[in-house]
Amino acid sequence: MAGSTPTNNTRLNRKILTFVDFPEGDLDDAGKGILSETSRLAKYLGTEWAVVCLSGASDSAMSELARYGVDQVTVLEGSADLSDSLDAQAKTIAAFAAEAGIGILLLPHNDLGGSLAPLLASELNGALFTEAIAYECEATALKLTRQSLGFQVAQSKKWDGENILVLTIHSRILSAVVLPTMQPGQLQVNRWTPRQAIATNASRIIQRIPPDPQTVDVSEAEVIFSVGLGCNDTTFTQIEELSRLLNASLGVTRPVYDLGYAGFERMVGQTGKTVAPRFYLAMGISGSMHHIGGMKDSKRIVSINSDSKAPIFPNSDEGFVANLNEVLPLLIERVKTVTGGAA
């Protein structure tokens, strides 16, 4: 996200604390990505960093932190409703950050991080900047940048280092890869409980419902099967079936939307939704610059097109020259064989 030259600005050399969540007890890609980004930011600012989390991580997930250069991790403990109350989590994290003298509190901009960030900034009376995609030191301040209006406009703010900064990093630029410059950490696990009981409001989480891939916002989807003009009525129906069988989200190009196959909310591209799933399957998509601009940050791109010279291929990790009319029935049959035909 930033240049490789560390800053010598002592006003910005304040300790960084990153919050890591362990969904189902494991370290997910968002957690791995924020660890890599924290390491990068700490090196750039020439400062120390540590990790804070809630209880519930598996032993293997906790030990994996060391691979990302983590030396210190603090497990927060508190009220019985801590895991089910955002308010309790924010107050507890903020109390620890204030006691530890943290300068920057870093979170991934996922559902949890995006919800906690404004609560944390309020509790800490600090600065808030969300969905950052870049940072750079300028004189006596850290310049932070995000994109808005469908990634059409870049917006920047400056943090002078006086108040604590609550910062979320956009998920599209987070990478779960262990940086080559990282040295394995000598992991030390600490536990921390607030000195005083934390009063929270009455709201709490009573149930966590996994998102439905068929209805989730395509910009938040983990796996997308996207279709272009290379489809027809039959193949489009088959692609819908394939996406249901494999719990993938459906995406379309502008021409397919114009033909009425799907609504605007399913359209991927610069005039639709910008996406960054971990897997993007492009079927019958030629690869216009507008579409490529909306999906190029996908972690892995696989394409199927009957035209061997289609522009989508140079932008793919893997490409197959094939006719959808022939491939899709075989794919569906294979998937049904493996899954037992259950969607």
Side-chain angles (χ1 to χ4, degrees), residues 40-63:
R40 184 182 287 111
L41 178 60
K43 183 177 181 181
Y44 183 66
L45 295 179
T47 190
E48 299 177 345
W49 66 287
V51 169
V52 66
C53 66
L54 304 178
S55 59
S58 65
D59 292 340
S60 60
M62 192 65 75
S63 62

Side-chain angles (χ1 to χ4, degrees), residues 224-226 278-285 295 298-305 312-313 315-320:
I224 299 175
F225 290 176
S226 210
R278 58 183 173 84
F279 182 79
Y280 189 88
L281 176 60
M283 293 177 281
I285 296 175
M295 47 69 80
S298 303
K299 303 298 186 295
R300 187 169 186 81
I301 301 171
V302 175
S303 57
I304 303 173
N305 200 290
I312 190 70
F313 287 129
N315 294 282
S316 303
D317 296 294
E318 290 184 80
F320 299 89

Side-chain angles (χ1 to χ4, degrees), residues 164-181:
I164 188 170
L165 170 66
V166 179
L167 176 65
T168 70
I169 306 297
H170 199 295
S171 58
R172 67 189 282 259
I173 62 97
L174 291 178
S175 171
V177 174
V178 178
L179 299 178
T181 56

Side-chain angles (χ1 to χ4, degrees), residues 18-34:
T18 187
F19 174 74
V20 175
D21 184 36
F22 294 91
E24 306 299 327
D26 297 321
L27 185 62
D28 62 3
D29 283 351
K32 295 173 183 177
I34 201 64

Side-chain angles (χ1 to χ4, degrees), residues 198-218:
I198 291 179
T200 61
N201 57 34
S203 64
R204 65 186 180 90
I205 299 170
I206 60 174
Q207 185 180 10
R208 290 179 172 87
I209 303 173
D212 179 0
Q214 306 305 311
T215 59
V216 70
D217 190 311
V218 72

